[in-house]
Amino acid sequence: MKNIIFLGLCLLSGSLLAQTGNKGIPSSVKNVETKVDSVLNLMTLEEKVGQMIQYNGSWDLTGPASETGNKQKEERLKKGLVGSMLNVISIEATEKAQRLNMENSRIKIPLMFGYDVIHGYKTIFPVPLGETASWDLEAAQESARIAALESVAQGVNWTFSPMIDISRDARWGRIMEGSGEDTYLTSKIAVAKINGYQGDDLSDPNTIAATAKHFAGYGLAEGGRDYNAVNIGKHELHNVVLPPFKAAADAGVATFMNSFNTIDGIPATGSESLQREILKGKWDWQGFIVSDWASIAEMIPHGFARDKIHAAEIAVTAGSDMDMEGGAYEAGLEKLVKEGKIDEGLINEAVKRILRVKFKMGLFEDPYKYMNANLENEVPYDEHRNTARDIAKKSIVLLKNENHLLPIKSSVKKIAVIGPLADDKDTPIGNWRAQGETNSAVSVLEGLRNTDLASKITYAKGVTLGQGERSFLMPLEINKTDRSGISDAVAKAKDAELVIMVLGEDAFQSGEGRSQANIGLAGLQLELLKEVQKVNKNIVLVLMNGRPMEITWAAENIPAILEVWQLGTESGNAIADVLLGKYNPSGKLPVSFPRAVGQEPLYYNRMNTGRPANDLHVTYSHYTDITNGPLYPFGFGLSYTTFDYGDVNLSSEELSEGGSLTLSVPVTNSGDVKGKEVVQLYLHDLVASVARPIKELKGFEMVELAPGETKTIEFNISEEMLKFYSASEKWEAEPGEFELMVGGNSEELKTVKFKYSK
Ligand code: NOJ
C-alpha cells in the first residue's frame, strides 16, 4: 500500500517528479480536477483532516495564543497533518516548515503560507480606507501587485486581503481596513485588489492567493463594537453586504474567510445558508473558506456549540473548510466521522477545495517555488516607494479650503508645524502593517523639510499622543494631562504666518479590537488646536487617522482641513506634494464624516422615513439638537480648482427590457489650475417591492481637466444597474420610475428621470 501511495504521489508532485527528470505534470493527468481526485483518493482520513487545519507560526500573534505548542505543531507538520500556516514569514522560515512537511510526511502535500498583507508588505501604502479615497482602481490594483511581489520575496504566498466588509460606523476600529460604506465602490476595489494580488495566473510565482473577508456582515456589528452581533434583515444582507463578495467570487478570488459575528443569531462561521447555499451553491464558487482566527471554537462562547467537537460538526456542515488556529477541527473531525456523526463526504469536499487552490498555485509542481532567496535582491523597492508616494497623494481628501489658504503661497515667510503627529514616523504606517518597519514612514515634518519651504519651518509638538509601546494588540495611553508643551506651540504659532497642525489618531488607534465610543481628537489635541487658533487663524489642519472623526469644532473654526488618513511609507512627501500644490487633491470620501458620534451609524444610501426631511413634522424623524446630515458626505472632496456640471442629458426617458440609455453630462474646470474630478452617478428606484435607498452609487469616472476645459462624461444605463434583491428574493429589475443623479459628491447632484418597462 505504501508503495502505491508513493508512486501515485510521484506522478502528481513535481518535487517528486524531479526524480523522474520530468518537471511538468504528466499529460496523463489531464486537469486540476483529475489531479485533485487522484490525490484525495490516496489520503487517509487523518491526512484529510490535517489539510483542514491551519496553524500560526510563532512570529506575529494576530489573535489569542492557542493551546497547541510549537513542538506539537512541528510533529504534525512532519506527519503531513497541517494544511497551511499563517504568520510564518521569511524564506528561511517558510522553507523550514515546508521541508518538515515535504521531507517527512507520507502524503507530501505542500503547505500554503498565509499572512495579513493588508496595505503593503514592506513598502506600505495608504490604509485601505484611505486608498479607496483615491477612487483609483488602477492604483488599488498596482499596490496589491507590489504587495504580492514583496510577499513572495519572503515566502508568503497567500494574503488575508481584501477586507470588503461594508462599514457604516466610525466607532468600529476596523473601518480603516475596508473600503467604507458603499457597496458599489467596495465591489470595484475588491476586484482591483484581487486582480493585483492574483494576476492572471495564480501559478505565476510573483502572485499570491487573495482572500475575500469577512464573510459576512462583520462590519455592521451593533454599536460599532468589534466581534459583536449583527442584526440585519435579508434585504440588507443581499443588497448591501453580499455584492462585494459576489464580485470577489466572480473575479476568481482563491479563498474566503468567514467572520466572528453572529447574523440574526447564527454565527457566520456556522452559517450553512451563507457558506454552503449562497457562496458554494448559488454562486458556484470553487475556492476554499478559511475560518477567522478560532472562529469555529468561538461558537462555544456564542452559545451555539457545546464544545469544540460540536463546533467542528457545525462548522464543517456549514461549509467552513479550514480551521484557523482554533483546534476545533483537530479535536473533532476524525472522531465525528468515525462515530458516524458526519459524512466523510463533507471532509472530502473541503479537502478537494483546498487541494484545488494548491494545484492552481502550482505548489504540487514545486513546493518551494515561492522560496526564491534571490528574489529579495531583485525587488525594485525604490520604484515601489515612488508608486507609494503617487498613490498616497491621490488618497488625500481636501475637506475645507477657505480663502484659498492652500496651496501654500511661496510668499509665506514663516510656517509653524505643530502637533504630536507632525514628526511621527510611525503613525502613517498604520495598523495591519505586515513587515512595514516601525518608524519607517516619511513624517510630515520631513516631507516639508524636503521642499523649498525647509528654511521657513519651525516645529513644536504641543502635546504627545500615544504613549507606551505601540503594537498590534497593545492598548494605547493617550496623553490627557501633560500641558507642558502647549505654550511653546502657541508661541511658535504666534510668530508664524501659517500654521500646519498635524493631529488625529495614533498608529494603532484604529484596527482590530479598536472600537471607540468617542471619535473626536483624543487627549489634549483639541485643546491644543483651540489654544493655537486663539493666536493665529491661518491654520491648515492635517488630519491623520484611520476612521472618520468627529471634527465639528475644527470644521467651524479652522479655514483649511486636509484628510490624509495613514498614508504609508511615503506619507510626508505625499502630504507636502499636496500642501505645496505640486499635486492638486483629487480624493473623495469613501465614508461619511459625522457631526457627532451619536449619529453613527451614518451613511448616505439610507432609506427615507415616512416623514422625509422637508416634512413639517421633522422633529419626529430627526435629532432635535443637530441636523441628521453628515458634516462631510460620502463622495465629498475639494480641489484647488472648481468643477461645473452642465445640464444632464439622457438619450431617452424610457428604458425597455434588454435596452440601454446613455446619460451624458458636460464637466468644466472653472478654476485656474489643472485638476481631476471623480464624476459620480447615483440611482434611486422610486417605488419597488422593497423600499429602496434614497440614492445608491452606480458608477463613477475620473476626469482630468485643464483650466477652462470641458469634457462630456457618459454613463451607460442598463437594466443590470437597476437590479436588486427584491421581495420575491430574486436579483431583478422592477418596472417603474427611476431617478439618476450626477455630481461631484453624494449631496450636490443634478437629477434626471426615466421609466423602465418590461
Ligand atoms: C483575525 C482577523 O479578524 C482576520 O482579519 C485576520 O486575517 C486573522 N486574525 C489572521 O491574522
Side-chain angles (χ1 to χ4, degrees), residues 587-625:
K588 301 274 189 177
L589 293 178
V591 70
S592 308
F593 268 50
R595 292 169 197 275
V597 68
Q599 292 178 299
E600 297 290 337
L602 182 68
Y603 50 99
Y604 81 94
N605 44 353
R606 60 180 176 83
M607 302 290 176
N608 242 342
T609 67
R611 296 179 173 184
N614 52 5
D615 193 288
L616 267 183
H617 302 274
V618 285
T619 48
Y620 292 138
S621 56
H622 288 65
Y623 297 115
T624 52
D625 50 352

Side-chain angles (χ1 to χ4, degrees), residues 673-684:
V673 286
K674 189 173 81 174
K676 282 196 229 160
E677 168 77 332
V678 181
V679 181
Q680 300 159 40
L681 173 75
Y682 297 85
L683 177 89
H684 180 199

Side-chain angles (χ1 to χ4, degrees), residues 54 56 60-64 86-87 114-118 159-161 163 165 174 177 211 213-214 218 226-227 257-260 290-294 324 432 472 512:
Q54 182 183 63
N56 183 50
D60 264 7
L61 213 53
T62 50
L86 83 150
N87 295 336
Y115 192 43
D116 291 290
V117 183
I118 307 295
T159 175
F160 304 129
S161 165
M163 186 191 100
D165 299 313
R174 294 193 83 169
E177 213 186 312
T211 309
K213 74 184 187 187
H214 305 85
Y218 182 45
D226 210 0
Y227 315 130
M257 184 185 291
N258 57 33
S259 58
F260 289 127
V290 63
S291 80
D292 202 344
W293 186 296
M324 180 189 284
W432 291 115
F472 176 67
E512 188 178 346

Side-chain angles (χ1 to χ4, degrees), residues 430-442:
N431 210 328
W432 291 115
R433 51 178 60 188
Q435 291 300 294
E437 275 172 35
T438 310
N439 291 321
S440 63
V442 178

